[in-house]
Amino acid sequence: MKASRYLFITAILMLFFLAKAEATQNENKPPLNVILLIGDGMGLSQLSSAYYYGDQEPSFSKFNHIGLINTSCTNTKITDSAAGATAFATGQRTYKGAIGVSPIDTSAITNIVEILSPLGYKTGLVATYSVTHATPAAFYAHIDSRDKQEEIAEQLVTSDVDFFASSGLPYFNDRKDGKNLIPLLEANGFEMEIQTLIAKQYKPSKKYGYLMPPESMPKKVEGRDNFLPDATKMALDYLSQNKHGFFLMVEGSQIDAAGHKNKSQMLIQEVLDFEKAVGEALEFAKKNKNTLVIVTADHETGGFTLGAKNGTKDDYDSHDYSIIEPSFATYGHSATLVPVFTSGPHAEQFQGIYNNNELFHKIISLIK
Ligand code: MG
Ligand code: ZN
């Protein structure tokens, strides 16, 4: 009798201490910074081009944990960027063209920025297209169609986003409805910088917006400067002042456009530019260990491939394997699975093959 009673008390005590240990662990759970870099339209061949056309080892090589994601949306097997980004931002798949809304009744679905901001996280968005374009929009807006970019711009003004750098100025100050949203952004705490990307002495109490004049920035092959890597670094300088963690989304926006146009040189230069932004994120994460870096794509564009220079159909020896001849299968998107690379705390949880919306749930489960 005595022995069993002793065992019983020991078991209770052990349970008590285990529970307490777990509670302390959760209380002390440090903030987790998350940097999500999305190459719009960047399939495996696009990403591979960095290995053959760049002049250094691509930063992609620094990732040890690799997965693949299925990018389909609810109404079509081949998604667009709106549904693709909505899956990442909200954890729910939706229909092609939808921004942050349900496929059932177009009601708003809470996004990662709206979840993390009340928890004390700072949030930022960087892109080389308009901030109102589908990919960044899914991280703050809720609207039935990606085409309503003026309304999307209005939703940015009242969103939880703390930092943004992109093009798209006309959607804010040269609008069909005549409204000027720049003073509204300023009234909402933003220090705005128009036309120039200059680093500042950022204050954690303020918010910062950089808007470049055109709807879309110049292509890399047309002389776009280091906007994407530079803006990524600036965003990290600002966001990392916050001791409660941050979420940053960086988009290599124009890889997709190069795929649509079937322009391989344009595509390669956009991938190399994106790869530099990935390098900035990894450099930051090296010094700030509690940073999870995720690189992925919303879908593949163009059916791009890095095939050998073609010979004739029936003569295997006629192809020239010393020459890569990039080519495309479509002017649209494709259903090819896209890669996801992760580095940092819990990076191993992103391995495997899964649906695009699972990425959101994986991130949230690490934070909550
Ligand atoms: Mg995009
Ligand atoms: Zn596209």
Side-chain angles (χ1 to χ4, degrees):
M1 275 303 270
K2 264 198 165 167
S4 68
R5 197 166 159 188
Y6 175 74
L7 270 175
F8 178 70
I9 290 167
T10 314
I12 293 287
L13 279 172
M14 271 176 72
L15 279 174
F16 174 75
F17 283 118
L18 276 175
K20 202 172 171 197
E22 202 191 353
T24 341
Q25 217 174 37
N26 282 338
E27 272 162 27
N28 295 341
K29 202 174 163 189
L32 181 81
N33 305 321
V34 180
I35 309 173
L36 173 62
L37 299 112
I38 302 172
D40 197 316
M42 186 184 69
L44 193 52
S45 289
Q46 281 84 346
L47 190 147
S48 306
S49 70
Y51 284 82
Y52 303 106
Y53 298 95
D55 45 20
Q56 59 186 28
E57 179 74 11
S59 49
F60 302 131
S61 294
K62 298 194 175 109
F63 292 86
N64 291 323
H65 302 284
I66 295 156
L68 290 170
I69 52 178
N70 175 315
T71 63
S72 292
C73 60
T74 55
N75 61 331
T76 51
K77 289 190 179 72
I78 301 172
T79 189
D80 77 331
S81 295
T86 297
F88 293 151
T90 69
Q92 284 188 46
R93 281 181 161 179
T94 187
Y95 61 93
K96 191 169 156 288
I99 301 282
V101 296
S102 155
I104 299 156
D105 56 4
T106 69
S107 61
I109 318 167
T110 311
N111 62 49
I112 189 163
V113 165
E114 291 160 346
I115 292 169
L116 296 185
S117 205
L119 298 175
Y121 281 69
K122 289 266 186 207
T123 58
L125 304 171
V126 172
T128 58
Y129 264 162
S130 174
V131 70
T132 59
H133 213 255
T135 312
F139 290 85
Y140 63 87
H142 305 279
I143 198 151
D144 61 348
S145 166
R146 60 183 290 172
D147 297 333
K148 299 177 178 172
Q149 293 198 65
E150 289 199 352
E151 286 174 67
I152 292 171
E154 286 192 76
Q155 293 192 27
L156 179 65
V157 175
T158 51
S159 76
D160 290 327
V161 172
D162 299 295
F163 181 104
F164 63 92
S166 72
S167 57
L169 181 61
Y171 293 112
F172 294 83
N173 70 356
D174 188 18
R175 297 159 53 90
K176 288 189 199 83
D177 64 8
K179 284 189 210 167
N180 183 357
L181 304 185
I182 303 297
L184 299 179
L185 280 163
E186 285 166 344
N188 210 14
F190 276 97
E191 191 173 306
M192 292 300 301
E193 200 62 55
I194 309 295
Q195 300 199 14
T196 42
L197 186 77
I198 45 160
K200 299 182 182 189
Q201 291 286 82
Y202 299 110
K203 297 190 192 96
S205 56
K206 294 204 108 175
K207 301 192 265 190
Y208 295 88
Y210 293 90
L211 273 177
M212 302 304 121
E215 185 189 332
S216 93
M217 245 171 261
K219 306 172 180 66
K220 198 65 195 168
V221 286
E222 286 173 354
R224 188 175 74 241
D225 58 8
N226 262 342
F227 181 92
L228 192 64
D230 288 353
T232 301
K233 190 171 183 306
M234 287 158 62
L236 291 169
D237 284 349
Y238 164 69
L239 296 169
S240 62
Q241 292 181 346
N242 186 36
K243 297 291 167 271
H244 304 289
F246 67 79
F247 171 80
L248 172 65
M249 192 288 297
V250 176
E251 186 198 17
S253 317
Q254 302 197 30
I255 301 167
D256 173 71
H260 283 295
K261 292 177 203 297
N262 284 193
K263 295 232 158 125
S264 56
Q265 270 317 307
M266 174 185 171
L267 183 150
I268 290 160
Q269 294 310 313
E270 293 299 333
V271 171
L272 291 173
D273 184 54
F274 177 68
E275 185 272 333
K276 275 195 202 164
V278 172
E280 288 293 345
L282 288 172
E283 199 55 37
F284 175 88
K286 208 157 84 181
K287 292 177 217 130
N288 300 270
K289 296 282 181 222
N290 201 16
T291 305
L292 175 68
V293 182
I294 306 168
V295 176
T296 191
D298 49 356
H299 54 75
E300 195 275 344
T301 306
F304 184 62
T305 190
L306 298 170
K309 188 171 170 21
N310 243 341
T312 52
K313 192 161 65 173
D314 298 320
D315 179 2
Y316 295 172
D317 293 329
S318 65
H319 316 299
D320 187 348
Y321 286 7
S322 68
I323 296 170
I324 298 171
E325 199 168 61
S327 61
F328 297 87
T330 174
Y331 296 114
H333 299 171
S334 78
T336 310
L337 304 189
V338 296
V340 49
F341 293 178
T342 51
S343 162
H346 311 288
E348 72 287 348
Q349 295 191 24
F350 293 79
Q351 293 179 164
I353 301 178
Y354 46 95
N355 287 345
N356 52 358
N357 59 315
E358 284 305 311
L359 193 83
F360 166 95
H361 298 290
K362 287 175 190 289
I363 298 170
I364 294 298
S365 72
L366 297 177
I367 286 157
K368 285 196 151 177

